[in-house]
Amino acid sequence: QVQLVESGGGLVQPGGSLRLSCTASGSIFRDDPFDFYGVAWYRQAPEKQREFVATLTRGGYLMYADFVKGRFTISRDNEEKVVYLQMNSLQPEDTAVYYCTVRGSADYWGQGTQVTVSS
């Protein structure tokens, strides 16, 4: 019903930047446009629970996890059905698999993209 494909992950040195993308497709967008849905990013580090990173609701409300501290920015292109996460000043503790989610009557998840911050 919904397919989400994340990309943009990789290996980056501490202090570096990455921009993650999440491209959405699926039959539900025939009934309601992409901007009808809230979107969010989560991450999961090895041996840790998945945690919230950032969200952008359908009404335009932004919220970030405390650990983001102004380093990350979530945005969306409703025309192209893409969600972005711009990540700056990355640190080793940001190493994780990053997942996007689209929120409607159900939450839809992508397969994740690996981000590794290491020198």
Side-chain angles (χ1 to χ4, degrees):
Q1 205 175 13
V2 175
Q3 294 79 44
L4 301 176
V5 179
E6 297 99 334
S7 60
L11 174 64
V12 63
Q13 291 188 340
S17 299
L18 285 174
R19 188 174 82 153
L20 306 183
S21 300
C22 173
T23 302
S25 62
S27 59
I28 65 168
F29 302 120
R30 289 200 291 264
D31 297 325
D32 295 303
F34 185 63
D35 61 5
F36 179 81
Y37 298 88
V39 295
W41 287 93
Y42 283 73
R43 70 184 189 184
Q44 187 167 16
E47 301 181 357
K48 291 189 176 181
Q49 290 191 331
R50 191 172 297 188
E51 62 180 353
F52 166 77
V53 176
T55 189
L56 176 54
T57 69
R58 56 182 288 189
Y61 176 73
L62 281 167
M63 187 168 69
Y64 295 94
D66 288 343
F67 61 76
V68 169
K69 297 177 184 177
R71 302 180 296 133
F72 296 179
T73 303
I74 187 173
S75 61
R76 63 195 295 170
D77 182 334
N78 292 321
E79 193 71 26
E80 299 295 326
K81 294 192 281 291
V82 181
V83 186
Y84 299 102
L85 184 68
Q86 176 67 45
M87 305 187 295
N88 300 325
S89 302
L90 285 162
Q91 300 302 318
E93 53 266 33
D94 295 315
T95 295
V97 178
Y98 284 71
Y99 299 90
C100 73
T101 181
V102 170
R103 295 174 156 166
S105 57
D107 288 353
Y108 303 96
W109 293 86
Q111 83 291 346
T113 186
Q114 175 70 46
V115 171
T116 303
V117 185
S118 175
S119 55

